[in-house]
Amino acid sequence: MAMISEAWCKSGKCAWRVFLPLLAVLAAGGTSPAQASTFTEEEVVCPVGGEKFTRMALMSISTWGALPDGMPLGSGRFPVELPQCPSNGLVMYRDFTPEEVARLAPFIASEGYKALRSAGETPRYLAYRTAQFLGDKDLHWWLLEASWEAKNDDPAGERARRYNAEFVEAARLVKPDAGNLEAIAARFRLANGLRELGSFDEAEAVRASIVISPKAGGKGTEARENRTAWAGMIADLAGPIARKETSRIPIDMLGVREAAGFCLRKEIAAKFEEPSPPPLTAFEQEYCAGPKLSETIKEQRKWLREED
C-alpha cells in the first residue's frame, strides 16, 4: 500500500470541527499559500463498467504531525478521498489488472457488497473488503484508515468502535520485528487502538513490548530521527494508558501549537460560531495551565482578539 509514509506519523463533513483548534492554530501561525491544499478536476473511468465521472483530485497537501491513531494533521482533510465509481460503488484504491477487473465485476454486483454500501460503510472499509477479496497484503492499514473516517464522523459511534476493533484484531497478526519500522508502527497503532477501546492492561503490555533496533530504518540522519521519533511516541503513550484515557486526542501527545489550540478550543469555537465543545478534563486543565504552553497560548489568544 502506498500509504506507508504512515509509518512515520498517520473526512467526513464534521472532521474540521473535531480539529477546529488545530486549524485555528495554523491560521494563527500565518500559513502561507504554499502550505494550502490544492486540487484539480480529473475525469475518471471506472474499470468495471466503463462509467465516466469527474472528481476533484488532490494535487498537494501540507502536514505537520499526526494523531496517535496515525491520522495526519494538515492543511486539508484526512484520509484523502479515494475515487469511487458512482453507480457500482467500486473504490479505486489502486490500479487493477485485467484479470482482477474480471473478478471484481461479480464481486461489486453481489448482494454482500450492495449490503455494505446500503449500510453506509465508509469508502476505505469498502476498499478493505475489496482488498481482502483480491488477496492483498497488509489489510490492517486499510482498517486503520477506515477507522479514521468513522471517528471523524462520530468518534464515539458504533462504526468507529467496530472498525477500531477489527483493526486491533488484524494488527495482532503482524509479527513483531524490532528492525522493521513498519512493524513497529503496527505495534504502536495496536497499543493505541487497545487504549481507545479501553483495554488498558493489554495496551500497556503491547506498548512496553515494543523494541526498536539501532538498525531499524537503515543508516543516516533520517533513519536516526525516525527511530528517535518512534521511541518518543512509544514513551508518550504510557501517560494516556496509565490515566485510562480513551480519547482520540490526548493533549499530551500533541505538539505545542496544537496542544495550545486545544486548550483554547472554547474560545476558538466561539470565534468561528461553532457549538461549544465539551469542557476540558481535570488533566487537560492542569496541562493547559503548565509552563510548557503558556507563551504559545498567549500568542494564540492575542491572534484571536486581533481578528475579532
Side-chain angles (χ1 to χ4, degrees), residues 5 18 30-31 48 52 70 122 125 179 212 215 219 221 229 243 308:
S5 59
V18 176
T31 309
V48 177
K52 294 182 180 180
T122 70
Y125 191 82
I212 303 177
K215 298 180 180 179
K219 300 178 180 179
T221 301
R243 62 179 180 267
D308 285 339

Side-chain angles (χ1 to χ4, degrees), residues 184-206:
I184 290 165
R187 296 292 289 175
F188 177 84
R189 305 304 180 205
L190 169 60
N192 184 69
L194 288 163
R195 176 191 66 82
E196 290 185 351
L197 292 169
S199 299
F200 302 112
D201 289 345
E202 187 178 2
E204 176 57 20
V206 172

Side-chain angles (χ1 to χ4, degrees), residues 90-166:
L90 175 65
V91 178
M92 301 162 64
Y93 68 94
R94 65 169 174 82
D95 293 331
F96 304 114
T97 67
E99 293 77 16
E100 288 172 335
V101 169
R103 292 176 60 201
L104 285 172
F107 172 72
I108 61 174
S110 68
E111 292 304 314
Y113 192 83
K114 290 179 180 178
L116 292 173
R117 293 185 65 198
S118 297
E121 305 295 2
T122 70
R124 274 170 171 72
Y125 191 82
L126 295 177
Y128 156 67
R129 287 297 191 94
T130 305
Q132 186 180 49
F133 170 76
L134 292 176
D136 290 357
K137 297 179 180 179
D138 297 330
L139 298 181
H140 53 288
W141 293 128
W142 286 115
L143 283 168
L144 182 65
E145 292 198 2
S147 78
W148 302 346
E149 292 174 320
K151 285 185 278 191
N152 287 346
D153 185 56
D154 182 2
E158 179 276 334
R159 180 171 285 116
R161 187 172 182 84
R162 173 163 53 89
Y163 287 4
N164 205 0
E166 287 192 55

Side-chain angles (χ1 to χ4, degrees), residues 11 38-47 51-60 77 79-86 90-95 123-124 149:
S11 65
T38 59
F39 297 81
T40 186
E41 192 173 84
E42 175 186 62
E43 185 176 85
V44 183
V45 179
C46 185
E51 179 182 22
K52 294 182 180 180
F53 61 98
T54 301
R55 65 186 291 264
M56 295 306 295
L58 180 69
M59 294 290 289
S60 66
R77 297 184 304 171
V80 174
E81 185 180 86
L82 296 171
Q84 183 175 15
C85 304
L90 175 65
V91 178
M92 301 162 64
Y93 68 94
R94 65 169 174 82
D95 293 331
R124 274 170 171 72
E149 292 174 320

